[in-house]
PDB file of all heavy atoms in Angstrom:
ATOM      1  N   ALA U  72      12.885  -2.492  12.099  1.00 98.00           N
ATOM      2  CA  ALA U  72      13.415  -2.953  10.814  1.00 98.00           C
ATOM      3  C   ALA U  72      14.353  -4.140  11.005  1.00 98.00           C
ATOM      4  O   ALA U  72      14.327  -5.101  10.228  1.00 98.00           O
ATOM      5  CB  ALA U  72      14.134  -1.809  10.110  1.00 98.00           C
ATOM      6  N   ALA U 174       4.660   3.177  -7.666  1.00 98.00           N
ATOM      7  CA  ALA U 174       3.660   3.968  -6.965  1.00 98.00           C
ATOM      8  C   ALA U 174       2.578   3.062  -6.388  1.00 98.00           C
ATOM      9  O   ALA U 174       1.989   2.259  -7.118  1.00 98.00           O
ATOM     10  CB  ALA U 174       3.027   4.980  -7.914  1.00 98.00           C
ATOM     11  N   VAL U 212       1.027  -0.306  -8.011  1.00 98.00           N
ATOM     12  CA  VAL U 212       0.243  -1.190  -7.155  1.00 98.00           C
ATOM     13  C   VAL U 212      -0.968  -0.382  -6.698  1.00 98.00           C
ATOM     14  O   VAL U 212      -0.841   0.813  -6.409  1.00 98.00           O
ATOM     15  CB  VAL U 212       1.062  -1.656  -5.927  1.00 98.00           C
ATOM     16  CG1 VAL U 212       0.191  -2.407  -4.935  1.00 98.00           C
ATOM     17  CG2 VAL U 212       2.249  -2.505  -6.361  1.00 98.00           C
ATOM     18  N   THR U 223      -9.861   1.490  12.856  1.00 82.00           N
ATOM     19  CA  THR U 223     -11.072   1.411  13.683  1.00 82.00           C
ATOM     20  C   THR U 223     -11.329   0.015  14.216  1.00 82.00           C
ATOM     21  O   THR U 223     -12.159  -0.168  15.107  1.00 82.00           O
ATOM     22  CB  THR U 223     -12.309   1.838  12.875  1.00 82.00           C
ATOM     23  OG1 THR U 223     -12.533   0.903  11.812  1.00 82.00           O
ATOM     24  CG2 THR U 223     -12.124   3.235  12.296  1.00 82.00           C
ATOM     25  N   GLN U 234     -15.976  -7.810  -3.925  1.00 97.00           N
ATOM     26  CA  GLN U 234     -16.697  -7.015  -4.930  1.00 97.00           C
ATOM     27  C   GLN U 234     -15.884  -5.799  -5.347  1.00 97.00           C
ATOM     28  O   GLN U 234     -15.753  -5.508  -6.540  1.00 97.00           O
ATOM     29  CB  GLN U 234     -18.051  -6.574  -4.386  1.00 97.00           C
ATOM     30  CG  GLN U 234     -18.856  -5.745  -5.384  1.00 97.00           C
ATOM     31  CD  GLN U 234     -20.126  -5.165  -4.776  1.00 97.00           C
ATOM     32  OE1 GLN U 234     -20.166  -4.834  -3.595  1.00 97.00           O
ATOM     33  NE2 GLN U 234     -21.163  -5.042  -5.589  1.00 97.00           N
ATOM     34  N   VAL U 246      -9.310   1.129 -18.279  1.00 96.00           N
ATOM     35  CA  VAL U 246      -8.474   2.326 -18.356  1.00 96.00           C
ATOM     36  C   VAL U 246      -7.117   2.019 -18.990  1.00 96.00           C
ATOM     37  O   VAL U 246      -6.596   2.825 -19.777  1.00 96.00           O
ATOM     38  CB  VAL U 246      -8.272   2.934 -16.955  1.00 96.00           C
ATOM     39  CG1 VAL U 246      -7.283   4.093 -17.001  1.00 96.00           C
ATOM     40  CG2 VAL U 246      -9.596   3.416 -16.387  1.00 96.00           C
TER      41      VAL U 246
END
Side-chain angles (χ1 to χ4, degrees):
V212 172
T223 65
Q234 180 187 33
V246 174

